Amino acid sequence: MPAAIAMSRVPDSMNRTPPTADSAIKPARRLTQRPTIRDVSRLAGVSRMTVSRALSDPDLVLPETRARVAKAVADLGYVVDRTAGSLSSRRTGFIALMLPTLTNANFAAVAQGLTEALREAEYHLLIAYTDYDMVEEERQLRNLLARRPEAIVLTGAQHRRTASRMLNSAGVPVVEIADLPSQPIEHAIGFSNYQVGRTAARHLIDKGFSRIGAIAASPGGAVTDHRGEERMRGFEDELRLSRQPTDWVLRHGTAPVSFHHGAEAIALMLERQDRPQAVFAVSDLSAVGAVMECQRRGIRVPEDISIMGFGDFEIGREINPALTTIHVDFRALGNRTGAMLLDMLASDTVAEPRIVDVGLTIIDRASVGRV
């Protein structure tokens, strides 16, 4: 029988990521001017023509010279300006948006909210995605910057060194979303993924469970869901603080997670003699896959095992039993990002860096029972 939906706010005391409201911070300031080909030529000790040739037709340049130019480009975070010959002003009307995937409904909601906020001001999105690959993020960032966006929005706060240099040197507003880094590149709008994990563990502990598990993708290498791993870190820390074992925390497979990932991971747990009483999945996609696998095996949810997710995806609301989850308003996150950008782009001065916490909410549905 369907369960009533109860919504409860997460206590501020569980959030370890300060601050929780708009506030000024003091990270290293971004450069106000983009590096130029002249800067590269000076650093490399060669002429601008040689730099141009090394970038456009490298076979015409000696290997040693190419290496010096490449090092100068990397050190400065220089990006080729492909619009320099056609633009008479700095305004392009484009905002760059970098997402880890296009198949996640929450990231689609971010793009929708951002588009809604920017549309009336006649700004348009240039969207790229990385498949959770930091090398691909760097490549896509270089491509986006070459088209001179007026601002850059990208997901998360983990970047390779060269990507960070390009962002610091971009000369336009940079906003990192869906996370709350203590030292962002410039601005951040999101929520604490660490708090998500702690909140999920505390919810299951408060329900009376003592054998509590979690499932996520394995970290490591270029392809890593850093936000999912932060959720797992928070989950494990809350278990330890409550003197609960972490024996049933499972990292399995590679990002991005999916229904299939959840089915595979829960199958491994169910084969253990001491299987867990409750499981948190770092995404509703894995959680739904886990529920489906349990049903295929004749294991009742939540009577035999409780399952909880993150993201409040539509499918989690429609399956039976409906999925207990943690909700973040990703569309509103996109709206707030757009509003912040419009405010900054309308100003003649560089905005002070800000961190904005959009918060999160537990939605208690039928897939989690009580001991």
Side-chain angles (χ1 to χ4, degrees):
M1 141 175 119
I5 296 177
M7 302 181 69
S8 58
R9 281 285 170 189
V10 177
D12 292 339
S13 60
M14 293 179 64
N15 188 353
R16 288 188 173 184
T17 310
T20 57
D22 295 14
S23 61
I25 58 173
K26 300 296 182 184
R29 297 299 300 274
R30 63 175 168 86
L31 300 180
T32 56
Q33 296 294 328
R34 290 163 57 106
T36 66
I37 195 168
R38 177 175 294 180
D39 298 325
V40 176
S41 72
R42 286 174 179 168
L43 187 58
V46 298
S47 69
R48 279 177 282 173
M49 182 176 294
T50 299
V51 173
S52 179
R53 190 175 293 127
L55 296 175
S56 62
D57 202 347
D59 289 339
L60 298 178
V61 180
L62 291 173
E64 181 182 342
T65 303
R66 283 205 311 267
R68 292 212 310 273
V69 171
K71 186 176 186 305
V73 166
D75 288 347
L76 291 170
Y78 174 77
V79 177
V80 177
D81 182 1
R82 301 187 189 281
T83 65
S86 59
L87 288 176
S88 59
S89 73
R90 292 181 61 86
R91 193 179 193 282
T92 63
F94 290 117
I95 305 295
L97 173 62
M98 184 93 71
L99 298 172
T101 177
L102 297 181
T103 60
N104 183 308
N106 284 335
F107 293 128
V110 168
Q112 181 180 0
L114 186 55
T115 300
E116 290 169 349
L118 297 175
R119 185 181 288 130
E120 289 189 9
E122 297 187 351
Y123 283 99
H124 307 281
L125 291 184
L126 284 173
I127 301 177
Y129 69 99
T130 67
D131 270 336
Y132 295 89
D133 188 329
M134 296 181 74
V135 175
E136 180 64 13
E137 179 189 72
E138 185 178 307
R139 190 179 77 85
Q140 292 291 355
L141 181 60
R142 192 177 296 278
N143 289 336
L144 289 172
L145 285 171
R147 287 154 179 81
R148 296 192 67 87
E150 295 188 48
I152 303 162
V153 180
L154 66 166
T155 311
Q158 297 288 331
H159 316 289
R160 283 162 58 96
R161 183 176 300 174
T162 300
S164 294
R165 285 173 177 162
M166 285 191 285
L167 291 166
N168 275 302
S169 303
V172 297
V174 175
V175 182
E176 294 163 292
I177 62 170
D179 213 340
L180 281 183
S182 58
Q183 292 290 312
I185 296 291
E186 189 173 9
H187 309 283
I189 300 180
F191 54 93
S192 169
N193 284 284
Y194 179 85
Q195 182 188 342
V196 169
R198 289 197 63 194
T199 299
R202 174 47 50 190
H203 184 68
L204 297 176
I205 291 167
D206 288 346
K207 292 285 187 177
F209 298 109
S210 57
R211 299 196 310 276
I212 301 173
I215 54 178
S218 299
V223 180
T224 296
D225 179 3
H226 294 283
R227 291 168 300 283
E229 185 57 26
E230 272 295 285
R231 290 170 215 149
M232 289 290 269
R233 189 172 71 86
F235 190 88
E236 289 179 299
D237 281 356
E238 185 64 28
L239 290 182
R240 293 188 188 101
L241 287 169
S242 302
R243 291 181 166 78
Q244 295 273 3
T246 60
D247 300 353
W248 296 277
V249 173
L250 175 64
R251 291 166 172 85
H252 170 76
T254 58
V257 296
S258 61
F259 299 141
H260 181 67
H261 170 267
E264 278 193 342
I266 201 70
L268 293 173
M269 288 189 171
L270 295 175
E271 289 166 4
R272 294 177 53 165
Q273 283 190 327
D274 58 339
R275 69 189 185 201
Q277 299 166 306
V279 173
F280 165 65
V282 294
S283 167
D284 278 4
L285 298 179
S286 288
V288 168
V291 170
M292 292 176 174
E293 181 63 20
C294 287
Q295 291 173 340
R296 282 191 288 268
R297 292 170 176 250
I299 295 170
R300 301 170 301 167
V301 178
E303 292 85 354
D304 300 326
I305 187 170
S306 289
I307 296 175
M308 179 179 183
F310 164 77
D312 195 19
F313 286 66
E314 182 181 7
I315 190 171
R317 299 192 289 271
E318 299 302 324
I319 64 170
N320 185 25
L323 188 66
T324 293
T325 191
I326 294 177
H327 170 83
V328 172
D329 192 335
F330 282 88
R331 186 170 174 179
L333 190 158
N335 284 152
R336 293 187 70 172
T337 302
M340 176 188 283
L341 288 174
L342 290 178
D343 180 61
M344 290 187 289
L345 291 169
S347 175
D348 293 330
T349 60
V350 177
E352 285 296 322
R354 285 181 286 173
I355 297 179
V356 181
D357 188 344
V358 300
L360 52 93
T361 306
I362 299 172
I363 301 183
D364 196 7
R365 299 193 182 108
S367 68
V368 172
R370 181 182 290 274
V371 176

